[in-house]
C-alpha cells in the first residue's frame, strides 16, 4: 500500500513511522494540506491520510476519485470537514473514533484552571521580576456549577474532573446518557446556571454557533466559556462583543472557526491578517491554544495504530468498523453498516 499523507508534522512522522514497522506501507509525507489543488498529487497512491484542517469538500473528493483514491483515512475523530454526500459511493471514509478522551478533557480542565487563576499571566509576570498579584484574582471552583454541552466520551470525563474539584454539574445533550448520576437540563437552563460552560459536542448544523449573541445574553455575568471541540460552535464576533462589554468573565479556546490557515503553523516571524483572531488574543481574559487538546503521547500512539489498522482493513476488503458515511449521519447512528461489511 502506498499512502499519501497530508499535512504531516514531525510528530506525526515519528509516531506513524514507528507504528508502520508492523505494516511496511509506503508512507509519503506531504507538509501541505489536502484540498482541491493538492488532491491530484494523490494519483498513484492507494489511500489518503488526512487531518482536521484538511479540506475534504466536493472538488477535493472528485479530484481524489479521479486520481483513483477509494479510501480516505482520517487520523482524527471529528469529521465536520468532510462532504459525506459527495463521498458516498466514491470514497470510503474511516476515522479514529476515540484516541484519548482523557487528553481532551484534561486540556479543557487545564484551560479552566488557567483562565480562572490567570497562571498564564503570572508566569509572564514573575519572569519579568514582577511579583505583584493585582488583577490575578480568580474564584473557587468548589461549589460552582460546570455546564457541560455534550456528554459523550470527552464530556463525561470532563464531568468527573469537575466533580473532583467539588463542582456541581448541569449537562445538556439531545441524546442523554442513561447510566449517569448528573443532572440534565435544557440548554437555556444550562446557560443561566453555569459558572463555567464547556463545549464537548460535535459541529453539526444544529450546533453551529450554539454560543451566539442570544445564548451569551442568558449566561451568568462573569461566567467562563471553554471550547475544545470545534471553532464554529462559537460565533466569534458575538463572543468578542460580549468580552468588550465585560458580560462574560473570559474564554479559553483550543479551536477557532477560522483556524485552518493558522493553527499548527508558525507565524511568529510573519503578519497575521485575521483581525478577529488578533483581537481575541489581545484580551487578557482570553486564552487561545492551537488545537492541541488531543496532543499527548498516548493519543498519538493510538491515532497511528488505529489509522494504519483502518488502512489494513480497507486493503483486505473486509469490514470497516471505523467507517462513517452520509447514511450513518442521516440515521444519526454513526453506524449504518449493521450486518453488512461496509457503508457501500
Ligand atoms: P462523542 O461522540 O463521544 O460525544 C459527543 C456528544 O455530543 C454525544 O453524546 C452527542 O449526543 C452529543 N451531541 C450531539 N449533538 C448535540 C447537540 N446538538 N447539543 C449537545 N450535544 C450534542 O464525541 P467525543 O469523543 O466526546 O468528542 C467531542 C468533540 O470533541 C468531537 O466532536 C470533536 O469535535 C472534539 N475533539 C476535539 C479535539 C481537540 O484536539 N481539540 C480532539 C478530539 C475531539
Amino acid at each position: 500500500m502506498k499512502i499519501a499523507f497530508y499535512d504531516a508534522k514531525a510528530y506525526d512522522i515519528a509516531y506513524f513511522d514507528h507504528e508502520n514497522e508492523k505494516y511496511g506501507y509506503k508512507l509519503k509525507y506531504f507538509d501541505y494540506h489536502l484540498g482541491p489543488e493538492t488532491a491530484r498529487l494523490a494519483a498513484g497512491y492507494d489511500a489518503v491520510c488526512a487531518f482536521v484542517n484538511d479540506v475534504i469538500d466536493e472538488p477535493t473528493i472528485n479530484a481524489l476519485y479521479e486520481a483513483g483514491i477509494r479510501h480516505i483515512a482520517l487520523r482524527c475523530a471529528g469529521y465536520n470537514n468532510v462532504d459525506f454526500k459527495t463521498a458516498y459511493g466514491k470514497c470510503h471514509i474511516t476515522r479514529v473514533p476515540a484516541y484519548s478522551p482523557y487528553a481532551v478533557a484534561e486540556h479543557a480542565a487545564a484551560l479552566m484552571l488557567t483562565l480562572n487563576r490567570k497562571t498564564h499571566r503570572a508566569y509572564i509576570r514573575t519572569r519579568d521580576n514582577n511579583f505583584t498579584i493585582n488583577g490575578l484574582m480568580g474564584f473557587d471552583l468548589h461549589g460552582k456549577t460546570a455546564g457541560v454541552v455534550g456528554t459523550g466520551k470527552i464530556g463525561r470525563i470532563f464531568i468527573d474532573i469537575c466533580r473532583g474539584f467539588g463542582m456541581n454539574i448541569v449537562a445538556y445533550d439531545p441524546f442523554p446518557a442513561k447510566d449517569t448520576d448528573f443532572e440534565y437540563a435544557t440548554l437555556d437552563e444550562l446557560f443561566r446556571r453555569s459558572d463555567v460552560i464547556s463545549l464537548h459536542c460535535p459541529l453539526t448544523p444544529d450546533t453551529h454557533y450554539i454560543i451566539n449573541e442570544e445564548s451569551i445574553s442568558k449566561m451568568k455575568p462573569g461566567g467562563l466559556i471553554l471550547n475544545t471541540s470545534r471553532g464554529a460552535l462559537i460565533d466569534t464576533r458575538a463572543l468578542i462583543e460580549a468580552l468588550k462589554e465585560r458580560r462574560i468573565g473570559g474564554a479559553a479556546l483550543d479551536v477557532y472557526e477560522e483556524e485552518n490557515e493558522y493553527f499548527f503553523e508558525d507565524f511568529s516571524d510573519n503578519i497575521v491578517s485575521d483581525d478577529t483572531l488578533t483581537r481575541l488574543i489581545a484580551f487578557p481574559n482570553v486564552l487561545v491554544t492551537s488545537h492541541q487538546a488531543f496532543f499527548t503521547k498516548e493519543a498519538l500512539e493510538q491515532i497511528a495504530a488505529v489509522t494504519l489498522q483502518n488502512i489494513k482493513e480497507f486493503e483486505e476488503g473486509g469490514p470497516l468498523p471505523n467507517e462513517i458515511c452520509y447514511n450513518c449521519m442521516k440515521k444519526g447512528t454513526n453506524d449504518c453498516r449493521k450486518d453488512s461489511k461496509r457503508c457501500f
Side-chain angles (χ1 to χ4, degrees):
M1 287 287 277
K2 285 169 68 188
I3 297 142
F5 192 110
Y6 284 85
D7 199 12
K9 299 283 186 271
Y11 45 84
D12 294 315
I13 295 170
Y15 280 84
F16 272 84
D17 277 352
H18 179 71
E19 182 67 20
N20 192 38
E21 284 170 14
K22 286 188 202 156
Y23 296 93
Y25 293 148
K26 278 207 160 90
L27 300 176
K28 174 72 181 169
Y29 295 110
F30 299 131
D31 61 3
Y32 35 80
H33 284 179
L34 172 61
E37 292 85 29
T38 55
R40 66 181 71 92
L41 296 163
Y45 291 87
D46 302 298
V48 152
C49 183
F51 196 49
V52 287
N53 287 334
D54 288 316
V55 178
I56 311 174
D57 59 2
E58 187 180 348
T60 305
I61 292 166
N62 286 335
L64 288 175
Y65 186 70
E66 277 166 30
I69 297 296
R70 301 292 177 264
H71 180 206
I72 302 171
L74 300 174
R75 54 182 192 280
C76 51
Y79 42 75
N80 52 285
N81 52 338
V82 180
D83 177 349
F84 281 100
K85 199 169 180 183
T86 302
Y88 193 76
K90 289 181 177 160
C91 292
H92 294 273
I93 315 276
T94 56
R95 65 176 184 137
V96 184
Y99 22 99
S100 172
Y102 298 100
V104 183
E106 288 169 14
H107 190 73
L111 292 178
M112 173 170 69
L113 290 171
T114 308
L115 188 64
N116 178 28
R117 301 305 297 272
K118 304 166 179 63
T119 40
H120 56 308
R121 297 179 59 201
Y123 172 78
I124 290 168
R125 263 192 213 185
T126 54
R127 284 172 68 94
D128 198 28
N129 295 336
N130 176 354
F131 302 104
T132 63
I133 59 171
N134 303 327
L136 302 186
M137 191 165 63
F139 56 81
D140 284 9
L141 290 173
H142 183 90
K144 299 295 188 304
T145 298
V148 179
V149 181
T151 54
K153 292 177 283 298
I154 297 170
R156 289 177 67 169
I157 295 166
F158 183 74
I159 287 173
D160 286 344
I161 295 172
C162 290
R163 284 178 150 175
F165 288 122
M167 298 184 81
N168 306 311
I169 304 297
V170 57
Y172 170 75
D173 194 310
F175 309 100
K178 293 200 173 61
D179 53 336
T180 57
D181 55 355
F182 52 80
E183 180 193 353
Y184 281 101
T186 63
L187 203 49
D188 276 4
E189 208 180 327
L190 181 149
F191 290 142
R192 266 198 306 278
R193 286 173 45 193
S194 304
D195 299 285
V196 179
I197 292 170
S198 196
L199 304 177
H200 298 291
C201 55
L203 176 62
T204 65
D206 285 344
T207 60
H208 184 262
Y209 284 0
I210 199 168
I211 303 294
N212 54 40
E213 193 182 342
E214 197 194 336
S215 51
I216 291 173
S217 72
K218 294 173 186 157
M219 292 178 193
K220 277 190 181 179
L224 307 179
I225 300 173
L226 314 174
N227 188 7
T228 53
S229 280
R230 285 293 179 269
L233 296 176
I234 298 183
D235 176 351
T236 315
R237 288 182 188 280
L239 177 68
I240 288 176
E241 283 313 306
L243 286 160
K244 277 162 69 177
E245 292 166 13
R246 297 169 174 74
R247 280 188 277 127
I248 57 166
L253 313 170
D254 186 52
V255 285
Y256 164 58
E257 55 178 319
E258 300 296 336
E259 72 180 46
N260 282 25
E261 190 179 344
Y262 296 101
F263 283 19
F264 306 115
E265 307 300 333
D266 182 3
F267 275 76
S268 58
D269 208 16
N270 213 324
I271 302 293
V272 172
S273 50
D274 181 333
D275 292 346
T276 309
L277 179 59
T278 51
R279 182 68 184 102
L280 267 182
I281 292 168
F283 286 105
N285 53 347
V286 171
L287 188 59
V288 174
T289 55
S290 36
H291 211 135
Q292 70 170 81
F294 75 99
F295 199 48
T296 65
K297 180 178 171 296
E298 291 77 5
L300 285 177
E301 283 167 357
Q302 186 68 5
I303 286 170
V306 176
T307 305
L308 291 178
Q309 179 65 28
N310 288 341
I311 290 169
K312 184 174 168 54
E313 284 161 356
F314 178 78
E315 179 191 16
E316 288 173 344
L320 291 176
N322 294 326
E323 182 171 20
I324 182 157
C325 78
Y326 181 57
N327 262 341
C328 299
M329 225 90 51
K330 268 199 309 198
K331 293 185 179 168
T333 59
N334 278 11
D335 180 11
C336 74
R337 292 174 300 279
K338 300 289 176 232
D339 300 328
S340 56
K341 294 197 311 186
R342 295 181 172 192
C343 287
F344 57 88

